[in-house]
């Protein structure tokens, strides 16, 4: 926390800046007039951006390359261009590129340089939200979980260990984007250095100053650097800094003039910018699917453009949290796999009615590009696919665990085990006879986030963060207690982003602390991709007729039908009667399904992961209960359908959480 005197100073400097900025703008304009090169600048005098010296407004849309398969980047970007946008905005999730300290991945879907080049080729400028923090309903707001190896680290502050990691990442990443800056003939017109920092508790100006210096060092003095905060004085106070252009974010339906007035608190002169104009809204498991009417979006957009302001629509194309990438809000509510966002382009990239309303509004202010708007991509219902039960996670633990079990008196967290995503197994032995129902509890609410409990392979119950902190179990002393813990996604917003996973506090049995754990980190993705799970034919005798209520794998195969043109096509996967789990097709991790809680019922399956030349395989990890087995030995099946269902009944709604959302409805 900084003291109030330095806050006052900060504000005084900011006021002084309006006159200093004016002088700077004049001299820059002179410079640009005499320079043949490309320029993109802020004109404080005329309250606008200037591109190559000319007055310029951007009409931009958000698309996160990390949420759309590379195969579809071009399709989505073309559709954005055809809507009349002249720019796009993307976050750069640090944890997507530096999954382990010092090891970088910029290949395939992570090749953001290819994404920048494609945007540029299509004729779209880029507003790059470079991080280090993004929020964005992404695991830990884009920060790598390995930062938590130092338990006392203060994230998003001038904590030296945090800064050391930021510096190392930026020394790799920022030089890569330099050639893509507008003045270097690239598409990037502006770079964001922090996101809604004014909503974070730390209020550490030294941290913002550090980022400013770092970005200037690698990117030079010309590029426009900016910040984004809620449209209110209280957010801008800690979120803005001299030298970083302060922009605001706000959704439709409010008083647009009033919201831009808030930006003037930090920027008395300069262009008006809404960096996140919400076209829709995010979802949480267990709450109603968010929908925002196109009329409300169109009306506010019209008002923004009429004021001559710059706008970025968040999201224009939401996409998907494939794998384990979803984040969560606090109090703990994880976001689902779909990031459709009720955006103008659907999760599958299809233009919606909202898309055409927005395009019509944009058409009032600028000439729309000529040519047809690309239509929705065709979808195909491949139908019911039978899957067969393989072993349970506990039975397979030796082949799933990459480093062998670790013995520990007390439980270790995911980070302590150097596993960052997915699932870990905690094994123990019942120290006492639990012939009567005996409480197994997490008195400090330390199950992060959901635990599936068995004794000698028999299901006992589920513990869940903030919801179920105690269950009763039965079993004899010496029985094997297995607790599979799921990391359901790290908190991405607010003071709780320091979000450890696993059993982060002790468990008790009959009020006594359990000790003597055997902990298995699990690399399920590798086992699935490399086909290490046993094939069903090798397992005939293992297939128990009994109802399966322990976390188990299921495997199925399907072929894309012959004789139908243009297959494979996109499809949606439905889980009739299934409860909760994770699913892979041909080794591609599609994400989590949880129809038992909703609202998301179907998972988006992009066509490029399907094969027409080979048999496709599908692996399901069901954590609770499959709709098969039992007395009748009913078959297990999943179903491919041709339409999404994202607004199924939400089985669990906590009214207190709805209240929270209202209070923070501006945040992203
Ligand atoms: C919107 O806010 C502006 C500036 O505060 C105010 O002048 C105007 O009356 C407001 N408009 C509406 C419709 O409330
Ligand atoms: C558990 O119960 C069995 C059978 O009643 C008994 O032999 C054993 O000593 C008990 N074990 C403990 C640890 O109480
Ligand atoms: C556990 O069992 C006790 C005693 O039978 C009972 O009072 C309690 O409600 C049970 N707790 C749960 C969470 O089921
Ligand atoms: C678990 O309990 C032990 C013994 O009371 C204690 O030393 C330890 O700090 C506890 N661990 C956690 C994570 O609370
Ligand atoms: C499923 O398909 C992937 C990709 O072709 C392959 O690597 C994997 O071994 C297959 N799994 C099984 C069980 O056939
Ligand atoms: C769910 O969405 C579909 C498609 O947009 C719509 O037709 C239906 O009315 C919605 N159902 C509910 C319960 O909101």
């Amino acid at each position: 926390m900084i003291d109030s005197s330095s806050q006052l100073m900060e504000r005084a400097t900011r006021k002084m800046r309006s006159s200093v900025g004016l002088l700077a703008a004049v001299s820059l304009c002179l410079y640009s007039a005499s320079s043949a090169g490309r320029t993109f600048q802020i004109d404080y005098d005329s309250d606008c951006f200037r591109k190559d010296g000319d007055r310029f407004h951007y009409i931009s849309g958000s698309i996160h390359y990390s949420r759309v398969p590379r195969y579809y980047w071009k399709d989505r970007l073309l559709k954005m261009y055809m809507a009349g946008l002249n720019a796009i905005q993307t976050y750069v999730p640090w944890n997507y590129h530096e999954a382990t300290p010092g090891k970088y991945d910029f290949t395939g879907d992570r090749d953001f340089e290819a994404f920048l080049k494609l945007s540029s080729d299509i004729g779209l400028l880029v507003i790059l939200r470079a991080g280090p923090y993004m929020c964005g309903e992404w695991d830990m707001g884009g920060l790598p979980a390995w930062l938590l190896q130092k338990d006392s680290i203060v994230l998003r502050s001038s904590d030296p260990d945090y800064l050391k990691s930021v510096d190392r990442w930026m020394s790799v990443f920022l030089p890569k984007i330099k050639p893509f800056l507008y003045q270097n003939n690239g598409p990037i017109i502006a770079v964001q250095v922090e996101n809604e920092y004014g909503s974070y508790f730390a209020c550490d100006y030294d941290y913002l100053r550090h980022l400013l210096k770092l970005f200037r060092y690698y990117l030079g003095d010309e590029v426009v650097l900016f910040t984004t905060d809620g449209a209110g004085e209280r957010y801008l106070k800690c979120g803005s800094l001299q030298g970083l252009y302060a922009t605001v974010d706000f959704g439709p339906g409010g008083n647009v003039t009033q919201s831009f007035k808030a930006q003037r608190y930090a920027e008395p002169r300069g262009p008006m910018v809404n960096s996140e104009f919400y076209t829709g809204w995010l979802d949480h498991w267990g709450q109603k699917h968010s929908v925002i009417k196109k009329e409300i979006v169109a009306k506010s957009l019209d008002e923004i453009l009429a004021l001559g302001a710059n706008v970025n629509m968040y999201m224009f194309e939401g996409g998907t949290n494939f794998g384990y990438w979803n984040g969560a809000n606090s109090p703990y509510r994880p976001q689902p796999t779909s990031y459709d966002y009720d955006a103008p382009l659907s999760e599958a990239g299809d233009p919606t009615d909202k898309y055409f309303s927005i395009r019509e509004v944009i058409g009032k202010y600028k000439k729309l590009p000529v040519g047809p708007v690309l239509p929705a991509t065709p979808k195909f219902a491949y139908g019911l696919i039978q899957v067969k039960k393989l072993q349970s996670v506990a039975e397979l633990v030796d082949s799933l665990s990459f480093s062998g079990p670790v013995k520990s008196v007390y439980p270790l967290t995911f980070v302590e085990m150097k596993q960052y995503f997915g699932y870990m197994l905690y094994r123990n032995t019942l120290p006492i006879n639990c012939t009567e129902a005996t409480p197994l509890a997490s008195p400090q609410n330390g199950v992060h986030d959901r635990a599936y409990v068995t004794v000698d392979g028999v299901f006992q119950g589920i513990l869940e963060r903030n919801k179920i902190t105690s269950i009763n179990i039965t079993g004899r002393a010496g029985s094997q207690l297995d607790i599979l813990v799921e990391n359901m996604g790290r908190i991405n917003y607010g003071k709780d982003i320091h979000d450890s996973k696993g059993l982060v506090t002790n468990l008790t049995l009959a009020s006594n602390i359990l000790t003597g754990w055997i902990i298995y980190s699990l690399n399920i993705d590798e086992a699935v991709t490399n086909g290490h799970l046993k094939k069903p034919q090798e397992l005939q005798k293992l297939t128990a007729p009994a109802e399966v209520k322990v976390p188990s794998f299921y495997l199925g195969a399907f072929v894309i039908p012959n004789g139908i043109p243009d297959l494979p096509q996109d499809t949606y996967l439905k889980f009739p009667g299934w409860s909760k789990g994770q699913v892979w097709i041909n080794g591609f991790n599609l994400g989590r399904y949880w129809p038992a809680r909703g609202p998301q019922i179907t998972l988006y399956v992009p066509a490029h992961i399907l094969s027409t030349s080979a048999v496709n395989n599908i692996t399901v990890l069901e954590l609770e209960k499959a709709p098969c087995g039992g007395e009748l030995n009913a078959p297990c099946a999943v179903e491919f359908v041709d339409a999404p269902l994202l607004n199924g009944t939400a089985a669990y709604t906590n009214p207190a959480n709805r209240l929270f959302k209202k209070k923070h409805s501006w945040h992203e």
Side-chain angles (χ1 to χ4, degrees):
M1 283 299 222
I2 76 152
D3 61 46
S4 56
S5 67
S6 55
Q7 269 179 23
L8 282 176
M9 266 199 24
E10 197 67 38
R11 229 176 303 175
T13 344
R14 225 181 263 128
K15 286 225 176 80
M16 268 163 48
R17 174 167 43 149
S18 51
S19 47
V20 176
L22 216 128
L23 285 175
V26 169
S27 55
L28 281 175
C29 282
L30 285 176
Y31 170 76
S32 76
S34 63
S35 155
R38 291 161 37 118
T39 57
F40 190 88
Q41 296 152 334
I42 293 170
D43 182 343
Y44 290 96
D45 203 8
S46 320
D47 295 334
C48 68
F49 287 116
R50 287 199 182 270
K51 183 160 127 335
D52 305 328
D54 297 331
R55 191 177 263 275
F56 176 81
H57 299 112
Y58 66 70
I59 305 174
S60 164
S62 278
I63 171 173
H64 302 149
Y65 61 91
S66 55
R67 286 182 157 129
V68 176
R70 179 178 184 158
Y71 177 83
Y72 277 129
W73 286 350
K74 190 173 177 186
D75 171 79
R76 310 302 192 253
L77 290 169
L78 273 172
K79 286 167 178 163
M80 293 174 80
Y81 178 79
M82 289 308 295
L85 306 184
N86 56 14
I88 57 143
Q89 194 203 63
T90 185
Y91 279 127
V92 177
W94 175 9
N95 57 4
Y96 194 57
H97 296 287
E98 192 181 352
T100 44
K103 292 215 178 89
Y104 305 96
D105 188 353
F106 300 107
T107 62
D109 286 347
R110 288 171 171 77
D111 187 351
F112 74 89
E113 288 166 282
F115 181 78
L116 293 176
K117 175 142 195 326
L118 202 53
S119 308
S120 176
D121 290 349
I122 287 170
L124 291 161
L125 296 165
V126 174
I127 299 148
L128 196 74
R129 307 177 93 183
Y133 167 81
M134 63 176 263
C135 192
E137 289 72 64
W138 188 262
D139 186 79
M140 211 169 146
L143 298 177
W146 49 257
L147 289 168
L148 302 179
Q149 276 166 6
K150 179 192 171 192
D151 192 43
S152 63
I153 198 163
V154 183
L155 302 166
R156 303 175 71 195
S157 80
S158 38
D159 180 311
D161 292 288
Y162 174 70
L163 289 188
K164 211 171 87 197
S165 299
V166 169
D167 290 354
R168 186 180 55 194
W169 160 238
M170 290 300 171
S171 77
V172 173
F173 164 67
L174 290 178
K176 284 184 183 293
I177 68 168
K178 191 167 186 191
F180 289 95
L181 297 181
Y182 186 78
Q183 62 270 23
N184 299 333
N185 291 319
I188 299 174
I189 53 172
V191 178
Q192 181 179 297
V193 305
E194 243 288 357
N195 187 50
E196 292 185 343
Y197 191 61
S199 306
Y200 190 59
F201 73 93
C203 197
D204 180 346
Y205 292 117
D206 286 339
Y207 166 52
L208 288 184
R209 277 189 208 102
H210 181 91
L211 291 182
L212 170 59
K213 254 174 77 182
L214 189 68
F215 277 60
R216 285 280 171 234
Y217 176 79
Y218 287 111
L219 301 181
D221 290 334
E222 270 182 66
V223 63
V224 172
L225 298 180
F226 73 103
T227 55
T228 301
D229 279 283
E233 214 176 292
R234 67 186 187 283
Y235 307 122
L236 286 155
K237 193 153 55 177
C238 293
S240 58
L241 184 83
Q242 181 170 17
L244 298 172
Y245 192 69
T247 72
V248 291
D249 54 22
F250 58 87
N255 183 329
V256 167
T257 317
Q258 183 67 39
S259 299
F260 281 125
K261 241 172 129 177
Q263 190 193 351
R264 289 289 175 232
Y265 162 78
E267 296 295 351
R269 301 302 304 263
M272 287 180 285
V273 181
N274 182 351
S275 289
E276 287 187 359
F277 171 66
Y278 305 113
T279 59
W281 195 248
L282 58 108
D283 281 348
H284 296 113
W285 290 118
Q287 293 182 327
K288 250 183 84 156
H289 175 56
S290 302
V291 175
I292 301 206
K293 286 207 171 78
K294 64 177 194 292
E295 292 79 8
I296 300 172
V297 174
K299 180 168 177 287
S300 292
L301 178 65
D302 202 347
E303 289 166 7
I304 289 171
L305 297 182
L307 284 177
N310 299 271
V311 65
N312 171 68
M313 286 169 259
Y314 190 103
M315 297 297 296
F316 204 88
E317 153 75 54
T320 310
N321 298 311
F322 292 114
Y324 309 107
W325 288 114
N326 69 277
N329 271 307
S330 179
Y332 193 72
R333 285 162 302 151
Q335 295 120 14
T337 301
S338 172
Y339 199 60
D340 177 89
Y341 214 82
D342 196 29
L345 289 173
S346 74
E347 180 177 14
D350 295 331
T352 63
D353 292 348
K354 197 179 276 176
Y355 175 95
F356 291 101
S357 303
I358 286 172
R359 190 170 185 267
E360 200 179 305
V361 171
I362 295 173
K364 287 170 65 176
Y365 297 91
K366 61 169 279 207
K367 207 168 154 303
L368 293 170
V370 282
V373 172
L374 289 171
T377 55
K379 309 292 184 297
F380 196 82
Y382 301 97
L384 280 171
I385 308 293
Q386 296 255 341
V387 294
K388 289 214 166 112
K389 186 184 166 294
L390 308 181
Q391 300 106 311
S392 69
V393 173
E395 284 163 347
L396 276 169
V397 72
D398 290 321
S399 51
L400 295 175
S401 185
F402 52 91
S403 57
V406 171
K407 289 188 178 160
S408 173
V409 180
Y410 304 112
L412 300 173
T413 64
F414 271 56
V415 165
E416 283 166 332
M417 292 286 290
K418 293 207 163 43
Q419 177 178 339
Y420 303 109
F421 294 99
Y423 307 83
M424 270 187 7
L425 185 76
Y426 293 77
R427 184 165 279 177
N428 212 323
T429 305
L430 292 186
I432 53 166
N433 279 321
C434 303
T435 11
E436 303 287 312
T438 309
L440 173 75
S442 177
Q444 292 156 282
N445 191 22
V447 172
H448 289 191
D449 305 295
R450 211 155 186 268
Y452 308 88
V453 182
T454 62
V455 171
D456 281 345
V458 178
F459 172 78
Q460 304 292 318
I462 293 167
L463 294 162
E464 187 176 337
R465 184 172 180 178
N466 292 359
K467 291 194 167 74
I468 309 161
T469 54
S470 179
I471 56 170
N472 283 332
I473 65 169
T474 55
R476 291 184 167 279
S479 297
Q480 181 171 293
L481 171 69
D482 274 346
I483 304 178
L484 183 73
V485 179
E486 177 185 6
N487 163 1
M488 292 204 292
R490 291 185 184 79
I491 292 172
N492 58 269
Y493 170 76
K495 65 177 177 11
D496 300 325
I497 52 173
H498 193 301
D499 188 10
S500 279
K501 295 302 182 185
L503 297 180
V504 305
T505 60
N506 290 308
L507 289 192
T508 58
L509 182 65
S511 305
N512 297 312
I513 290 176
L514 278 169
T515 56
W517 292 92
I518 301 174
I519 307 162
Y520 295 84
S521 47
L522 304 178
N523 194 344
I524 292 175
D525 289 83
E526 192 181 288
V528 169
T529 307
N530 298 337
H532 286 163
L533 308 176
K534 283 227 179 81
K535 300 257 176 357
Q537 58 268 31
E538 299 167 35
L539 286 166
Q540 289 309 342
K541 54 185 185 304
L542 281 177
T543 312
E547 198 177 48
V548 180
K549 285 174 102 178
V550 301
S552 299
F553 291 98
Y554 297 78
L555 184 65
F558 60 100
V559 289
I560 305 296
N562 263 327
I564 301 171
D566 303 328
L567 290 188
Q569 291 169 358
D570 285 3
T571 182
Y572 299 92
L573 191 53
K574 205 174 173 177
F575 297 83
W578 298 74
S579 305
K580 182 186 199 312
Q582 195 94 30
V583 63
W584 295 257
I585 290 182
N586 296 332
F588 182 93
N589 189 335
L590 283 171
R592 304 170 214 266
Y593 64 90
W594 200 356
R597 189 158 291 182
Q600 180 176 6
I601 304 297
T602 57
L603 292 196
Y604 172 57
V605 182
H608 78 290
I609 67 167
L610 302 175
S611 170
T612 44
S613 56
V615 177
N616 295 278
N617 65 56
I618 177 164
T619 310
V620 180
L621 168 59
E622 168 61 46
L623 298 162
E624 296 184 20
K625 192 175 160 303
C628 41
E631 295 282 287
L632 300 170
N633 202 16
C636 311
V638 294
E639 187 177 11
F640 288 109
V641 296
D642 59 9
L645 184 55
L646 300 176
N647 60 357
T649 321
Y652 194 107
T653 302
N654 182 345
N657 291 345
R658 274 209 306 274
L659 208 70
F660 176 85
K661 176 181 157 179
K662 262 191 203 119
K663 275 198 300 204
H664 294 76
S665 58
W666 46 266
H667 105 260
E668 198 38 59

